[in-house]
Amino acid sequence: MSKAARLRAKIRDKPLTHIIGAHNPLSARLAEEAGFDGIWASGFELSAAYGVPDASLISMTEHLEMARAMNDAVDIPVVADVDTGYGNAINVMHTVRKYEGAGMAAMVIEDKVFPKDTSLLAGGRQELLAIEEFEGKLAAAVAARRDPDFMIIARTEALIAGLGQAEAKGRAERYADAGADAVLIHSKSETPDEIVEFVGAWARETPIVIVPTAYPQLTEADIMALEKVKMVIYGNHAIRAVVTALEKVFGRIRKDGGIHNVHGTIVPVTRVFELQGVPGMKADEKKYLR
Ligand code: SPV
Ligand code: MG
């Protein structure tokens, strides 16, 4: 069963599928070990890993190659964040072929104008595409996929842009009609109220996806109680955890003038060997090195 088929089955059969952002194969492996259903090849995490703003600055190739490397490193499915799809409907067709070809299970495409600005930035540029143009991009994505299980998830930024519930609902319905397999509704509100209102008004069969970064108080139990949300994406916790850990360890080494105090506070190198697959390589060496 392909990863795309497995992800579809999870979304159909589980009350809630949980996906977490990663930015390289090592963080993807740790997410898999922790028991997540899938990996979010996050544009924000990748941009941050490259040290640049999440504003359509990294190229499709840069994002795609890391998404491919993450997918190769884990057995769980990868959901690719392709931002605006790297251009118009024709660019989107190329994007679908490339990401599907790289083994992605799904891709999320958002209704912002290229070049986009990141969603959670206070005062960020949040300009949306005309609905018809985005419908065309979705139709192009659906036509371009080869595997019908590869999921095209439409993301509306109407709430992020401050356009209100009616605009968000209207756009999401049009995107569902245009063939989206799920609709991602994003919010930067610090309470879940606007998401709860949106979900309450959603009358379609099309499943909803949410990214509760700004309103972390909404637990998985709360999300399941909303019923229509079938996927939750934890968008940027891997990169934030890395920053937290590195600030602490690097600062301590400088303060102490050596690594003597941090040595016992971080994982031993053997743990990294394990994550790199060294035990498997050693077993192969025994069998094949002659
Ligand atoms: C990402 O992780 O790249 C996302 C989620 O798209 S957010 O950063 O909240 O827009
Ligand atoms: Mg993104």
Side-chain angles (χ1 to χ4, degrees), residues 40 42-45 54 81 83 110 116 118-120 155 186 211 213 235-236:
W40 170 236
S42 158
F44 176 82
E45 291 228 359
D54 178 24
D81 174 10
D83 287 354
E110 66 196 47
K116 57 157 266 182
T118 200
S119 303
L120 300 180
R155 163 171 167 176
H186 203 8
V211 185
T213 312
N236 55 28

Side-chain angles (χ1 to χ4, degrees), residues 156-167:
T156 182
E157 294 279 287
L159 297 178
I160 293 284
L163 300 178
Q165 290 284 341
E167 181 75 17

Side-chain angles (χ1 to χ4, degrees), residues 56 82-96 107-116 127-145 152-155 171 174-175 178-180:
S56 302
V82 302
D83 287 354
T84 62
Y86 303 100
N88 67 18
I90 304 305
N91 298 79
V92 168
M93 296 179 90
H94 179 68
T95 300
V96 168
M107 71 173 217
V108 173
I109 176 169
E110 66 196 47
D111 60 358
K112 285 216 290 250
V113 168
F114 177 91
K116 57 157 266 182
E127 194 189 338
L128 267 53
L129 272 193
I131 294 176
E132 308 74 56
E133 187 177 352
F134 195 66
E135 285 173 324
K137 288 171 84 164
L138 289 173
V142 170
R145 76 177 159 203
I152 312 287
I153 303 176
R155 163 171 167 176
R171 281 181 175 260
R174 296 266 297 260
Y175 302 162

Side-chain angles (χ1 to χ4, degrees), residues 192-255:
D193 302 4
E194 66 176 14
I195 286 296
V196 170
E197 187 181 338
F198 179 93
V199 174
W202 187 246
R204 304 296 178 101
E205 288 298 307
T206 311
I208 296 176
V209 181
I210 63 170
V211 185
T213 312
Y215 48 97
Q217 62 274 45
L218 196 75
T219 65
E220 290 176 8
D222 298 331
I223 298 169
M224 283 187 267
L226 297 177
E227 289 178 353
K228 297 164 208 162
V229 179
K230 297 291 283 179
M231 185 194 287
V232 59
I233 296 175
Y234 301 122
N236 55 28
H237 298 77
I239 201 84
R240 287 164 62 195
V242 165
V243 172
T244 306
L246 294 188
E247 280 181 347
K248 203 167 147 200
V249 172
F250 289 180
R252 189 75 205 257
I253 295 171
R254 284 312 338 126
K255 184 166 173 277

